[in-house]
Amino acid sequence: MLGLLAVFLIAMAFGAIVNATIEFVAYRRLRNAPRLAVLITAVGMSFIVQNISLAVFDVNFRSIPSLVSGHDVFRIGGVHYSWEALFVVLVTAPVLVILSWLVKSTRHGKAMRATAQDPEASAMMGINVNRTISFTFLLAGALAGIGAVLFLVEFNVRYDTGFELGLIAFTAAVLGGIGNLTGAVLGAIIIGMIQAFNEGPFLWAPGSDWTRSIVFGLLIAILVFRPEGLLGERTPEGA
């Protein structure tokens, strides 16, 4: 248990440092730049990180020793539920609760929400915008570290795994509603269920080759017909 906790702490620290460094090097100078410049920079940084990972770890998938027991918690007929799957839920649930509390109830969380809504007004009210954005990147990197460990509990990884998971996470956030943590989790569950059905044993399922097309087709449909997401709130243009 102590070893697993150490893995989480190391992954969180590494993710936070990498993310904060990227923010300092690539994004801080673009505070007042057009959004397109920030978007292009984000794409460029993703390729830089991927290629560094490729140079260090090569193109092959990597596995690690089992972090959690692979035995079943229960088995009902042909359906079984493993300790690995339960462990992911047991970690995700409290992390979501803590994150929701931090964003909604703490001083840093209120500063984050204010800065996201109107950076200039936030600065006028005494909020240190640069520090708040840096804290947000630190927090996001730490959460990415937790997510990476949870992913490793059940799957192998390679250099571009994070890029694919990032696209799916973005789709889940849009599906649930940007800025709504509960909505993001709901979107992730829906995407997971779609993937499980699509890649399941059903004869009429399209198969794993169609998973990405279905997921991103769903993203396009949400952006067209309900851009605020399932649990998001419609806001005035430009708000």
Side-chain angles (χ1 to χ4, degrees), residues 10-28 31 42 45-46 49 130 132-145:
I10 292 172
M12 291 172 64
F14 179 78
I17 292 172
V18 170
N19 221 31
T21 302
I22 291 174
E23 185 272 332
F24 179 78
V25 172
Y27 295 121
R28 183 163 296 190
R31 289 283 191 264
M45 287 304 306
S46 71
V49 172
N130 281 333
T132 299
I133 294 176
S134 296
F135 173 78
T136 304
F137 271 80
L138 277 169
L139 179 62
L143 291 173

Side-chain angles (χ1 to χ4, degrees), residues 69-189:
S69 172
H71 297 299
D72 293 338
V73 179
F74 62 83
R75 179 187 293 269
I76 302 176
V79 178
H80 62 93
Y81 194 75
S82 68
W83 280 106
E84 293 174 340
L86 180 61
F87 177 76
V88 173
V89 175
L90 293 177
V91 174
T92 301
V95 168
L96 177 62
V97 171
I98 294 172
L99 180 62
S100 299
W101 168 79
L102 188 151
V103 171
K104 295 179 180 179
S105 302
T106 67
R107 183 176 181 181
H108 282 299
K110 293 176 181 178
M112 288 165 57
R113 289 187 285 131
T115 300
Q117 184 174 2
D118 193 329
E120 294 181 357
S122 300
M124 292 174 61
M125 296 302 295
I127 295 175
N128 189 321
V129 173
N130 281 333
R131 186 171 61 190
T132 299
I133 294 176
S134 296
F135 173 78
T136 304
F137 271 80
L138 277 169
L139 179 62
L143 291 173
I146 295 176
V149 176
L150 294 179
F151 188 83
L152 279 170
V153 168
E154 296 194 65
F155 305 101
N156 297 329
V157 297
R158 69 175 192 173
Y159 75 98
D160 62 346
T161 299
F163 180 77
E164 181 176 353
L165 293 179
L167 291 176
I168 295 175
F170 174 73
T171 305
V174 173
L175 177 59
I178 293 293
N180 189 311
L181 297 176
T182 305
V185 174
L186 175 62
I189 292 174

